[in-house]
């Protein structure tokens, strides 16, 4: 097996606890994984070497929450919202209609375009949800297509009740937990529910998550985005690995997150794009809660694919330090997906990294909106 040495790393943020941040570092890759990491002068001989010219290197970003299986765009809705129309969950239905009308090829092409956009901004792992098909066939095909680009696929049939079931939401829950789950489970690793007023309530969410678990799918939850509610406590009660949004939290919610170790995934691009109050990351971190940052990239409430933007927002708007924000977008995202092989650059990790045209990771927050990611490597190869 041949080895590759990445040399000339001006600053290496390993996010491996025993290594921290190294200067004038090198990293050796073998079989797609980190085989050695340390100071350049101690680097072992490798078959080939690649000089990164003094640039900063960070672990590839782990985007643990996105909705990339869709068609169409909602730029007009965004423009309306920016001029005073409040966001409501019903806007999802616009995308459902466009997604149902799209061909498999159109959906796959839009997904590929967005994944490529993410790669160019340093994301090396992305979770992708269904949730804009909302029929058995449309949800299953979304997940089957997504499975070609990521192992982290999530069945979100319980995104919103589709118009044809508006009069009988209970029948829709029966569909989600019955034939739809049956068709989707083979293509998914996760099951998710939008537990929010106007979407699905606590009992419905519990029923759907338990049905998913019976089919081998691990649970995650959209909760406490638009107001206080039962979702975060439900996620903790069920021992879910992550609960996402967490904008409106009671003291009891924060305690439950700390006690269960459920990761709170914050999605600051949503608050930015909906001009809404940001979650209080500082409160969560100070309480000892595990925090992740993800994009929530979707055509309605947040159409950014940029984790660097999310890092900048987390620092500027949510009270996180640049180091905390980078950790939340790497190790935090990995934790939110139950993964220990990604999100850090310790020995044995998958060699996923972002090379920055900057001397330090601090520039991710210090230079918002600047395309600093010069190269993205996935499993030891230029992506
Ligand atoms: Zn979402």
């Amino acid at each position: 097996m041949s080895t590759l040495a990445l040399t000339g790393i001006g600053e290496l943020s390993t996010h491996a606890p025993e290594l921290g941040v190294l200067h004038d570092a090198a990293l050796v890759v073998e079989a797609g994984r980190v085989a050695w990491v340390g100071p350049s002068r101690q680097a072992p001989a490798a078959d080939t070497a690649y000089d990164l010219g003094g640039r900063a290197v960070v672990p590839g970003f782990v985007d643990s929450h996105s909705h990339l299986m869709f068609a169409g765009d909602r730029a007009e809705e965004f423009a309306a919202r920016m001029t005073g129309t409040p966001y409501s969950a019903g806007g999802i239905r616009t995308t459902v209609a466009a997604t149902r009308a799209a061909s498999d090829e159109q959906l796959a092409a839009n997904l590929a375009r967005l994944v490529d956009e993410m790669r160019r901004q340093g994301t090396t792992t992305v979770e992708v949800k269904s949730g804009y098909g909302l029929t058995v066939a449309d949800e299953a095909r979304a997940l089957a297509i997504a499975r070609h680009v990521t192992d982290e696929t999530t069945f979100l049939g319980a995104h919103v009740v589709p118009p044809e079931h508006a009069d009988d939401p209970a029948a829709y829950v029966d569909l989600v937990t019955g034939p739809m789950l049956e068709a989707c489970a083979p293509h998914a690793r996760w099951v998710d529910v939008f537990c929010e007023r106007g979407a699905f309530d606590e009992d419905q969410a519990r029923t759907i998550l338990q049905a998913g678990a019976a089919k081998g799918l691990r649970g995650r939850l959209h909760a406490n985005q638009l107001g206080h509610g039962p979702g975060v406590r439900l996620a903790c009660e069920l021992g879910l690995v992550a609960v996402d949004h967490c904008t409106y939290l009671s003291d009891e919610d924060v305690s439950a997150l700390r006690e269960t170790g459920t990761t709170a995934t914050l999605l600051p691009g949503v608050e930015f794009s909906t001009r809404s109050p940001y979650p209080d990351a500082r409160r969560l971190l100070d309480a000892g809660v595990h925090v992740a940052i993800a994009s929530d990239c979707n055509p309605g409430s947040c159409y950014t694919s940029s984790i660097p933007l999310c890092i900048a927002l987390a620092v500027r708007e949510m009270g996180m330090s640049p180091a905390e924000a980078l950790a939340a977008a790497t190790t935090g995202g990995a934790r939110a997906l139950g993964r220990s092989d990604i999100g850090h650059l310790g020995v044995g990790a998958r060699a996923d990294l972002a090379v920055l045209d900057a001397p330090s990771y601090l520039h991710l927050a210090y230079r918002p909106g600047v395309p600093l990611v010069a190269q993205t490597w996935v499993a030891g190869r230029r992506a």
Side-chain angles (χ1 to χ4, degrees):
M1 191 59 73
S2 69
T3 53
L4 165 68
L6 298 176
T7 61
I9 302 173
E11 180 195 85
L12 176 59
S13 298
T14 65
H15 288 270
E18 69 283 9
L19 293 168
V21 178
L22 303 173
H23 296 275
D24 190 13
L27 185 149
V28 177
V29 180
E30 183 172 8
R33 295 193 173 261
V34 177
W36 183 91
V37 56
S40 281
R41 63 184 182 284
Q42 295 172 12
D47 299 318
T48 50
Y50 187 91
D51 186 354
L52 294 174
R55 294 184 176 95
V57 167
V58 299
F61 304 127
V62 180
D63 190 343
S64 64
H65 185 140
S66 85
H67 303 252
L68 305 186
M69 292 308 309
F70 66 89
D73 93 33
R74 282 151 60 189
E76 298 297 335
E77 178 187 314
F78 173 78
R81 192 164 63 230
M82 289 300 107
T83 52
T85 309
Y87 174 68
S88 76
I92 291 168
R93 294 189 181 103
T94 310
T95 299
V96 170
T99 304
R100 286 176 177 176
S103 67
D104 290 4
E105 291 70 25
Q106 287 168 326
L107 290 175
N110 197 45
L111 173 67
R113 176 181 68 84
L114 291 168
V115 170
D116 182 58
E117 196 177 275
M118 289 181 161
R119 285 266 184 280
R120 282 185 271 118
Q121 298 172 93
T123 295
T124 50
T125 300
V126 59
E127 179 263 19
V128 176
K129 301 176 198 297
S130 66
Y132 294 117
L134 309 183
T135 66
V136 173
D138 285 308
E139 287 293 295
R141 74 166 176 153
L143 290 163
I145 292 167
R147 207 57 191 265
H148 289 295
V149 302
T150 184
D151 293 334
E152 305 295 347
T153 51
T154 301
F155 169 45
L156 181 59
H159 197 186
V160 69
V161 176
E164 65 272 20
H165 290 278
D167 297 339
D168 192 358
Y172 184 65
V173 172
D174 289 344
L175 179 68
V176 168
T177 55
M180 196 183 284
L181 175 63
E182 192 74 33
C184 289
H187 310 295
R189 180 166 185 234
W190 303 94
V191 57
D192 194 347
V193 179
F194 189 20
C195 182
E196 199 80 41
R197 198 179 303 249
F200 296 87
D201 68 19
E202 178 181 3
D203 290 341
Q204 292 169 327
R206 183 185 282 105
T207 298
I208 293 160
L209 292 170
Q210 288 175 340
K215 287 284 177 193
L217 304 186
R218 301 180 74 186
R220 18 195 350 102
L221 207 52
H222 284 67
N224 300 55
Q225 174 191 356
L226 304 172
H228 287 277
V232 166
R233 268 162 293 154
L234 176 64
C236 294
E237 173 203 314
L238 295 176
L240 304 190
V241 69
V243 57
D244 300 11
H245 283 292
C246 299
T247 306
Y248 291 90
L249 298 180
S250 66
D251 290 344
E252 292 71 27
D253 294 331
V254 175
S255 298
L257 288 165
R258 180 187 55 237
E259 284 160 20
T260 58
T262 295
T263 294
T265 303
L266 310 181
L267 308 163
V270 175
E271 282 76 29
F272 176 79
S273 299
T274 57
R275 198 178 277 148
S276 301
Y278 287 88
D280 188 347
R282 191 74 260 145
R283 177 186 182 200
L284 291 166
L285 290 165
D286 289 347
V289 173
H290 295 289
V291 171
I293 294 172
S295 70
D296 199 14
C297 184
N298 77 82
S301 60
C302 178
Y303 200 7
T304 185
S305 55
S306 172
I307 292 291
L309 173 65
C310 297
I311 289 172
L313 291 173
V315 171
R316 173 62 182 84
E317 304 290 346
M318 304 200 309
M320 297 177 83
S321 71
E324 287 168 337
L326 178 59
T330 55
T331 48
R335 187 183 171 88
L337 293 173
R339 300 274 298 266
S340 58
D341 61 322
I342 54 174
H344 67 96
L345 292 170
V347 171
R350 200 168 77 185
D352 291 357
L353 48 98
V355 180
L356 307 181
D357 256 335
S360 167
Y361 78 89
L362 294 171
H363 283 228
L364 289 166
Y366 174 47
R367 305 197 66 209
V370 178
L372 295 179
V373 176
Q375 304 171 14
T376 303
W377 294 65
V378 177
R381 290 172 181 270
R382 280 285 291 275

